[in-house]
Amino acid sequence: SLPVSTWPQAGRYPVFSLNHERGQATRYYLRIEHARVHYSVMPRVMSDVQLTTNTQLEHLLLGAYFGLAALVILLALINATAYRDSAFACYAFYIATFAAAQGAFTGVASLYWWPEWPALNNPAVFALPLVAMAAAMLFVRAVTTPKRFSRALDWFSLALMLLLPMLALLEVAHPTSDSFALINSLIGASLVVVLMLITVALVEGDRHARWMALGFLPIIVATLFPLMRNFGVLRSSFLTEYALMLGSAIEAPILFYGLLRRVTQGREPTARATA
């Protein structure tokens, strides 16, 4: 609720120094406001050296992920323009929204993107994952074109894809415990629909769907950790915080390679006919 510039020490999370005087007892009062998410992590006390080491390692990992995301987005946009392929554009949009959601979730956004507007933190953490999930469904629909196999599944995925951003707007305007439960339920349902779209394409013999399946597998597994944390099944841990980021780092190059194969193989008959 406070701008980062007013914090005792700027960072992704609140950090403050304890009394360094030895032999003197000091009492600290800490109030934690965590209205809707199951709270399962305790404050940590560490030395200045430990704090510096941890911060440097975290920023190294975060920099690697966001650098990879930026590179993939740029290459996808270049390919979308060069090949005039909408799937690459949808892929770039999906990676961009997913990276934005991770930036809000990990505190990178509050530290670097909008440090003086703390009112954006909570809405971004809960709304951006819905937009990213809608972008994922848009991307899968663009690649698998489910209306070739099942118009009912195609219309259902389209309706769910439109419902997710609407729920994000509702979450920003009026966040409640019920809306938080609905967010997690719809994200879980969206993952099932994405699996159905890819599975149907695989069964129908779409040779490019196997790359979609291979690419989305790590992100689907990684999503289970924060979802189970939100439902109170798991305690907060490294995996609940960083599993999605690790899954995305594995997913991004696989999907990019699959899209590139799809475009080149699709253009090969045209090139032969032209020759």
Side-chain angles (χ1 to χ4, degrees):
S1 60
L2 298 176
V4 175
S5 60
T6 64
W7 291 15
Q9 297 184 34
R12 294 191 300 126
Y13 303 117
V15 175
F16 56 91
S17 298
L18 302 179
N19 185 11
H20 288 80
E21 296 184 11
R22 296 185 178 181
Q24 179 180 353
T26 305
R27 181 172 295 175
Y28 296 92
Y29 293 94
L30 179 66
R31 183 178 67 182
I32 299 173
E33 296 182 6
H34 222 243
R36 299 189 298 164
V37 186
H38 292 278
Y39 187 80
S40 60
V41 62
M42 294 301 295
R44 290 186 297 171
V45 179
M46 60 179 60
S47 67
D48 292 338
V49 174
Q50 290 175 320
L51 177 62
T52 301
T53 302
N54 287 354
T55 302
Q56 290 174 343
L57 179 59
E58 291 169 355
H59 279 75
L60 175 64
L61 297 176
L62 292 169
Y65 168 73
F66 286 105
L68 173 64
L71 177 61
V72 168
I73 293 169
L74 178 61
L75 292 176
L77 292 176
I78 292 174
N79 280 277
T81 304
Y83 294 115
R84 297 179 182 178
D85 185 55
S86 60
F88 268 111
C90 294
Y91 173 70
F93 179 62
Y94 162 56
I95 296 297
T97 54
F98 192 92
Q102 289 306 297
F105 183 73
T106 58
V108 171
S110 62
L111 178 61
Y112 295 113
W113 300 349
W114 54 71
E116 299 305 311
W117 296 295
L120 295 177
N121 292 332
N122 281 338
V125 167
F126 295 105
L128 284 178
L130 294 171
V131 179
M133 195 69 242
M137 296 187 66
L138 175 66
F139 167 61
V140 173
R141 289 183 74 254
V143 175
T144 61
T145 55
K147 63 182 178 181
R148 296 179 299 165
F149 316 121
S150 172
R151 289 191 174 273
L153 180 60
D154 181 56
W155 279 105
F156 180 72
S157 62
L158 180 61
L160 187 58
M161 185 179 68
L162 296 176
L163 178 62
L164 291 171
M166 295 174 59
L167 180 59
L169 294 176
L170 177 63
E171 167 65 24
V172 172
H174 187 61
T176 63
S177 298
D178 293 334
S179 67
F180 176 69
L182 183 60
I183 285 173
N184 289 279
S185 300
L186 281 182
I187 289 179
S190 300
L191 289 175
V192 174
V193 173
V194 167
L195 278 175
M196 291 174 61
L197 293 173
I198 296 175
T199 302
V200 169
L202 281 172
V203 172
E204 294 293 335
D206 189 338
R207 57 183 177 177
H208 305 296
R210 64 178 181 270
W211 291 105
M212 297 298 104
L214 186 61
F216 272 96
L217 180 61
I219 206 68
I220 289 175
V221 173
T223 305
L224 298 177
F225 291 97
L227 277 181
M228 288 191 289
R229 190 280 312 272
N230 290 344
F231 284 119
V233 178
L234 293 179
R235 291 176 57 114
S236 295
S237 63
F238 177 85
L239 285 178
T240 60
E241 183 174 2
Y242 296 108
L244 277 173
M245 194 174 294
L246 296 174
S248 178
I250 299 173
E251 171 202 46
I254 296 176
L255 293 180
F256 186 87
Y257 177 72
L259 284 178
L260 199 58
R261 281 178 59 92
R262 171 178 172 270
V263 170
T264 53
Q265 291 179 3
R267 292 170 62 91
E268 184 178 348
T270 304
R272 289 181 177 179
T274 302

